[in-house]
Amino acid sequence: MLLEIAVKIAAVLAAFLVLPLVVGQTEHKLMAHMQGRLGPMHAGGFHGWAQLIADGVKFAQKEDLVPDDADKPVFKLAPAVALLPYLLVILFIPLGPGDLVGSSLDMGLFIVVALVGVGVLAVLMAGWSSANKYTLIGALRGAAQLMAYELPLVLAAASVAVAAGTLSLPQIVEAWNPWWLLWQAPAALVFFTAGLAEIRRPPFDAPVADSELVFGYLTEYAGLRFALLLLAEYVGIVVICALTAVLFLGGWQGPGPASFNGISLGWLWTLLKTGALAAVVIWLRVAWPRLRVDQIQALCWKVLVPVALAQLVLTTSVALAL
């Protein structure tokens, strides 16, 4: 029993540390190709494989600065608050059938959605404690954005939970059918879009708009603390893409064989779907301009919330009819 728990904890920590770095390295390469950036393609030789290592060394060598007027305990704690909720979320995301999940709870979806919303605390802590008007504006933008987009995120997740008749993430995957790709498509689009806004990725990066707010709530951070806040963003990408894959794309269920020579391939399908969605997140950063604050709020309240409500009503009606 203890050995099984230790193995699961080690696997979750490995995923927490490795997958965000893979996404970060992929972003370097995709953006280098899409935008013709030559620099990231040279570090280390073949295809710039050492660029991520170079960035890590750079962050480690930078001086750890804390503003004189900052609320120092809160300032130092914010990066940990940004990372911890995502580490806990990864515990509940099933990689495959059976025991390929850190913790399988009947209320898994409820806990995951609640933990994702904790990110607003880190944004407020970082922006307010920095004693900088630009960071405070960025924090308030982030808080308004996260509080607004939490509603369509929850409504979209509720739709698939009603369709599956459970809040357990593994059971949602088991209940999934290919026709959900059409039936739950509006909810999937709402969930993925709201998830991007929750992790403040372009085009929803108004809280860190460099052309307006220096670098928003991250302005006063340097060194490893800044690196940890960036890591939280990439962990957020992994979490949102993995949740979208599990809830709406069938998780470990794939179009190909479920096993090969007796070895389950469910984990591979989950990772492939998560990676494909992460590539979409990176593409959006390159291809779409940043939305204004008013456009971000209008998209939420005038488009995503009505669509999510309509989808939830439709799903509930079908579920009751069946």
Side-chain angles (χ1 to χ4, degrees), residues 78-91:
V81 175
L83 278 169
L84 184 60
Y86 293 132
L87 173 60
L88 297 177
V89 168
I90 293 176
L91 278 170

Side-chain angles (χ1 to χ4, degrees), residues 14-89:
F16 178 74
L17 295 174
V18 173
L19 292 179
L21 297 181
V22 172
V23 173
Q25 180 75 348
T26 303
E27 183 170 62
H28 273 130
K29 302 310 155 192
L30 289 181
M31 291 183 65
H33 284 295
M34 292 178 182
Q35 298 181 329
R37 296 183 176 186
L38 298 180
M41 306 303 289
H42 287 275
F46 176 73
H47 212 70
W49 65 269
Q51 182 62 48
L52 195 63
I53 298 175
D55 288 341
V57 173
K58 175 187 70 175
F59 283 126
Q61 291 178 336
K62 285 187 174 182
E63 185 178 0
D64 182 18
L65 299 174
V66 179
D68 291 336
D69 295 330
D71 187 327
K72 293 178 177 56
V74 178
F75 184 88
K76 294 177 181 179
L77 187 60
V81 175
L83 278 169
L84 184 60
Y86 293 132
L87 173 60
L88 297 177
V89 168

Side-chain angles (χ1 to χ4, degrees), residues 13-315:
L13 287 175
F16 178 74
L17 295 174
V18 173
L19 292 179
L21 297 181
V22 172
V23 173
Q25 180 75 348
T26 303
E27 183 170 62
H28 273 130
K29 302 310 155 192
L30 289 181
M31 291 183 65
H33 284 295
M34 292 178 182
Q35 298 181 329
R37 296 183 176 186
L38 298 180
M41 306 303 289
H42 287 275
F46 176 73
H47 212 70
W49 65 269
Q51 182 62 48
L52 195 63
I53 298 175
D55 288 341
V57 173
K58 175 187 70 175
F59 283 126
Q61 291 178 336
K62 285 187 174 182
E63 185 178 0
D64 182 18
L65 299 174
V66 179
D68 291 336
D69 295 330
D71 187 327
K72 293 178 177 56
V74 178
F75 184 88
K76 294 177 181 179
L77 187 60
V81 175
L83 278 169
L84 184 60
Y86 293 132
L87 173 60
L88 297 177
V89 168
I90 293 176
L91 278 170
F92 302 102
I93 298 178
L95 187 61
D99 293 331
L100 291 179
V101 58
S103 178
S104 179
L105 297 179
D106 292 338
M107 298 289 289
L109 179 58
F110 176 82
I111 296 173
V112 162
V113 172
L115 288 171
V116 169
V118 175
V120 66
L121 294 178
V123 174
L124 285 172
M125 290 170 64
W128 176 81
S129 65
S130 296
N132 182 310
K133 62 182 180 181
Y134 293 108
T135 63
L136 181 58
I137 294 173
L140 293 177
R141 284 186 178 186
Q145 182 171 308
L146 268 65
M147 291 177 67
Y149 278 84
E150 190 72 14
L151 179 58
L153 185 82
V154 171
L155 290 174
S159 175
V160 74
V162 170
T166 179
L167 290 173
S168 169
L169 293 178
Q171 291 179 20
I172 288 176
V173 178
E174 292 173 357
W176 183 86
N177 285 297
W179 69 283
W180 284 19
L181 293 173
L182 294 177
W183 181 37
Q184 295 296 323
L189 183 60
V190 169
F191 185 89
F192 188 66
T193 305
L196 289 180
E198 289 273 320
I199 59 176
R200 301 165 300 283
R201 285 287 300 188
F204 302 99
D205 57 338
V208 292
D210 54 343
S211 60
E212 305 166 26
L213 303 177
V214 189
F215 206 47
Y217 65 94
L218 300 172
T219 298
E220 299 292 352
Y221 282 90
L224 287 177
R225 288 196 180 92
F226 182 76
L228 290 176
L229 287 167
L230 287 185
L231 178 63
E233 177 182 324
Y234 288 112
V235 180
I237 294 175
V238 173
V239 165
I240 292 301
C241 293
L243 285 175
T244 304
V246 166
L247 294 175
F248 299 99
L249 301 181
W252 64 74
Q253 299 190 44
S259 62
F260 178 76
N261 288 338
I263 301 175
S264 174
L265 297 178
W267 60 271
L268 180 60
W269 291 119
T270 303
L271 290 179
L272 287 175
K273 294 172 184 178
T274 302
L277 290 171
V280 173
V281 174
I282 297 170
W283 171 75
L284 287 172
R285 175 177 178 178
V286 179
W288 284 75
R290 178 184 301 123
L291 297 177
R292 298 194 312 266
V293 176
D294 63 303
Q295 292 174 327
I296 291 175
Q297 294 294 327
L299 175 64
C300 175
W301 296 108
K302 296 181 180 180
V303 179
L304 297 187
V305 170
V307 170
L309 282 172
Q311 179 66 47
L312 182 58
V313 170
L314 173 63
T315 304

